[in-house]
Amino acid sequence: KIKEIKRESHSAKSSGSRPVFVELLQDLRKGKFNAILTWAPDRLSRNAGDLGSVVDLMDQGKLKRIQTYSQSFSNSPNEKFLLMILCSQAKLENDNKGVNVERGLRNKFKLGWRPSIAPMGYLNIKGDPHTDELITIDPVRAPFIKQIFERVANLGQSGRTIKEWLDRIGFTTRNGKSVVLSKIYEVLNNPFYHGSFEFPIGSETWYTGKHKPIIDKELFDKVQKMLVVAPKGHGAHNFPFKTI
């Protein structure tokens, strides 16, 4: 007899990260339910913490049965052992996926390709990192990106002035939105435009990209000097005390 249907959209790979699953465990402890009907064991858990909670409820007799599409698990040593093996196997597969993704990313940036969404002025292209150009110049936006750097370096324009200019000419991002001020400064501080990138961010590990630079490093360095603003001094004026 199905008393309630619960749907969970969060991943089962991390313990305690699924509010609906936590609620289900609490209902089982309160005796609201005594069984679970689910597609497969790995829908319940792909981590040791949640698996331990499920098995503990079976040990206490509060969870009588777990029924999946092809198997049934009750509070017996063999069936609980099989449940733990299947969930542990799902965790192993999940962990291996993470290792493979990390290895793929590491291989990608060693080849000179930044493994993330290309910044404004570039486009991501699917392909083989060994043979294909994975990041190409956006022919529509790249010329304006170069002008942004030139306007700051040669004309001393501020980010706000640049934004007013971009809004006036109708410049938009790939999503069709106007560029916010913080995005302009993000562009101006991004060394990717002269051909290098740091990955992961904050690691101080730098790579020379295989993408085509939009500007040269000389222009980038000139902009960095222009962006440095000396702090405003306080107490520059002397005001005499007044007495009443």
Side-chain angles (χ1 to χ4, degrees):
K1 181 181 177 181
I2 298 175
K3 295 189 67 175
E4 188 174 332
I5 296 175
K6 295 182 181 289
R7 302 182 187 277
E8 180 71 78
S9 59
H10 295 78
S11 173
K13 69 178 182 179
S14 300
S15 178
S17 62
R18 297 176 293 162
V20 177
F21 180 76
V22 171
E23 182 183 57
L24 173 63
L25 296 179
Q26 292 173 348
D27 289 341
L28 286 164
R29 293 187 184 102
K30 294 175 183 177
K32 187 176 180 180
F33 314 113
N34 62 4
I36 299 174
L37 177 65
T38 185
W39 175 254
D42 64 357
R43 299 300 87 194
L44 290 177
S45 171
R46 282 180 289 158
N47 66 81
D50 289 347
L51 175 58
S53 297
V54 170
V55 174
D56 187 49
L57 285 169
M58 297 184 88
D59 289 340
Q60 296 174 28
K62 295 182 178 181
L63 178 56
K64 303 291 186 182
R65 184 172 296 277
I66 296 174
Q67 180 66 49
T68 70
Y69 176 76
S70 59
Q71 291 171 297
S72 180
F73 305 93
S74 62
N75 186 22
S76 71
N78 289 337
E79 291 184 9
K80 284 189 294 185
F81 180 64
L82 178 59
L83 174 66
M84 289 189 287
I85 288 177
L86 293 174
C87 290
S88 298
Q89 182 180 10
K91 174 174 170 51
L92 176 62
E93 292 174 355
N94 187 76
D95 290 347
N96 284 335
K97 285 179 183 178
V99 171
N100 290 335
V101 168
E102 185 179 344
R103 183 179 61 184
L105 291 176
R106 196 162 53 240
N107 180 56
K108 207 171 181 180
F109 59 68
K110 283 182 178 179
L111 292 172
W113 299 114
R114 183 173 179 262
S116 56
I117 298 175
M120 187 166 58
Y122 288 94
L123 298 172
N124 291 98
I125 306 295
K126 291 183 179 180
D128 186 342
H130 293 274
T131 59
D132 300 323
E133 187 176 7
L134 300 186
I135 300 176
T136 61
I137 287 180
D138 183 343
V140 175
R141 295 173 182 82
F144 295 100
I145 297 297
K146 185 175 182 180
Q147 286 188 58
I148 289 174
F149 280 93
E150 291 173 341
R151 281 171 175 263
V152 173
N154 302 327
L155 302 178
Q157 292 187 349
S158 66
R160 197 169 297 279
T161 302
I162 297 291
K163 175 172 171 49
E164 291 173 355
W165 167 64
L166 292 175
D167 290 342
R168 188 168 62 252
I169 64 176
F171 182 88
T172 61
T173 65
R174 290 188 294 260
N175 297 325
K177 298 181 179 179
S178 60
V179 182
V180 297
L181 185 60
S182 60
K183 189 68 175 180
I184 293 172
Y185 283 108
E186 183 181 316
V187 168
L188 292 170
N189 285 289
N190 193 346
F192 187 86
Y193 292 104
H194 74 71
S196 64
F197 63 91
E198 181 189 24
F199 194 87
I201 300 297
S203 66
E204 296 296 330
T205 303
W206 292 87
Y207 299 89
T208 300
K210 290 184 70 175
H211 62 282
K212 296 176 182 178
I214 292 178
I215 61 171
D216 57 39
K217 192 174 187 303
E218 183 180 357
L219 178 59
F220 180 82
D221 290 340
K222 189 175 181 180
V223 167
Q224 302 316 297
K225 292 178 181 178
M226 297 293 292
L227 293 177
V228 176
V229 179
K232 294 182 179 179
H234 295 282
H237 301 281
N238 293 320
F239 298 97
F241 289 102
K242 292 184 178 181
T243 60
I244 298 176

